[in-house]
Amino acid sequence: MNRTTRQPTPRLETDRLILRGPLPADADDVYETHRHKSVADGVISIPHPCPPDHGEAWIRWVLEEAPAASLHIWVLEDRGSGRVVGDCGAQIDLKHRVAGVGYLLHPDHRGRGLMTEALRAVFGWLFEAHTPPIERIYADVFPENGPSLRLCDRLGMTREGVLRGSVRKNDRQRDAVRSAILRSEF
Ligand SMILES: CC(C)(COP(=O)(O)OP(=O)(O)OC[C@H]1O[C@@H](n2cnc3c(N)ncnc32)[C@H](O)[C@@H]1OP(=O)(O)O)[C@@H](O)C(=O)NCCC(=O)NCCS
């Protein structure tokens, strides 16, 4: 394989989840998750309030634009209910073999370890199955986002420092805590 070619986004399976690319039929579930203020507060690019066609628009964006941006996006399908309860993504910098991750869960599905489970599968793919293997995975988290910081800790990431004023959200510069894990630490 050409080492500079983007790999297809794989389907990943865990005990409780199926991680797969979004389908047009997921639009209502995506809207039902993204519409919560706690989701919009934690991430950079989801509007609040969400417009009614947000689910369709987000899925169209993933299908049409994520590949060109070296972005892999998975929706998290709950095996029990068949519903999509969250999503996560990895943006890959192939030149440096580094990936940045982002993630979100419907509020009703937090506190059960689902995102820990999902990201372990994503990390496993990036570190072990991706060609070439990714050497470093990082996440940037707003300092007040305790659940997300704890999730990074639980995944074995190291809090490396605060990127001061590194993100613009709602017309103001925000700090972000950068956590990262190396392939040798996974
Ligand atoms: C960040 C976010 C995904 C974390 O959700 P979460 O449910 O805490 O994460 P997990 O699914 O890994 O669950 C971990 C929690 O479940 C508990 N848990 C229960 N069973 C568990 C299991 N089998 N394995 C791991 N944790 C388990 C843990 O104790 C932990 O709770 P705690 O943080 O109170 O100690 C969620 O808060 C969210 O979607 N926030 C809004 C969007 C956002 O901020 N995204 C991050 C952008 S950087």
Side-chain angles (χ1 to χ4, degrees):
M1 171 182 292
N2 177 344
R3 291 157 79 102
T4 59
T5 303
R6 178 189 188 276
Q7 285 188 236
T9 303
R11 176 186 170 96
L12 302 170
E13 302 201 359
T14 69
D15 287 349
R16 293 176 290 175
L17 296 168
I18 295 170
L19 282 67
R20 58 167 176 79
L23 301 169
D26 299 323
D28 288 349
D29 285 349
V30 168
Y31 172 78
E32 176 48 38
T33 296
H34 287 199
R35 73 181 178 84
H36 293 276
K37 185 164 186 310
S38 64
V39 168
D41 283 347
V43 303
I44 296 170
S45 54
I46 292 179
H48 188 80
C50 261
D53 66 346
H54 172 85
E56 285 91 357
W58 183 82
I59 289 168
R60 212 167 35 244
W61 170 78
V62 172
L63 297 176
E64 292 173 6
E65 295 187 35
S70 301
L71 194 53
H72 295 274
I73 304 268
W74 294 266
V75 293
L76 312 185
E77 180 184 316
D78 177 72
R79 281 176 183 269
S81 65
R83 303 289 297 267
V84 166
V85 298
D87 49 84
C88 62
Q91 181 142 40
I92 294 182
D93 176 343
L94 268 182
K95 181 174 175 210
H96 297 290
R97 303 195 179 185
V98 165
V101 290
Y103 40 83
L104 57 90
L105 267 181
H106 189 289
D108 292 353
H109 294 274
R110 295 180 196 160
R112 299 165 51 208
L114 284 181
M115 194 55 80
T116 306
E117 191 171 308
L119 290 180
R120 281 206 178 110
V122 168
F123 285 17
W125 177 65
L126 291 168
F127 282 142
E128 289 164 0
H130 190 272
T131 308
I134 295 303
E135 297 292 343
R136 168 183 164 88
I137 299 173
Y138 69 89
D140 290 343
V141 179
F142 292 132
E144 61 277 15
N145 193 345
S148 183
L149 291 171
R150 287 197 296 279
L151 170 61
C152 293
D153 295 346
R154 200 176 306 111
L155 287 163
M157 302 173 101
T158 298
R159 296 189 195 185
E160 295 182 331
V162 177
L163 306 177
R164 296 174 302 150
S166 59
V167 178
R168 190 156 183 87
K169 183 177 161 76
N170 297 339
D171 294 328
R172 80 183 169 95
Q173 298 304 123
R174 301 277 301 274
D175 296 348
V177 177
R178 175 155 293 188
S179 294
I181 180 169
L182 305 181
R183 190 156 77 96
S184 56
E185 297 167 340
F186 182 63

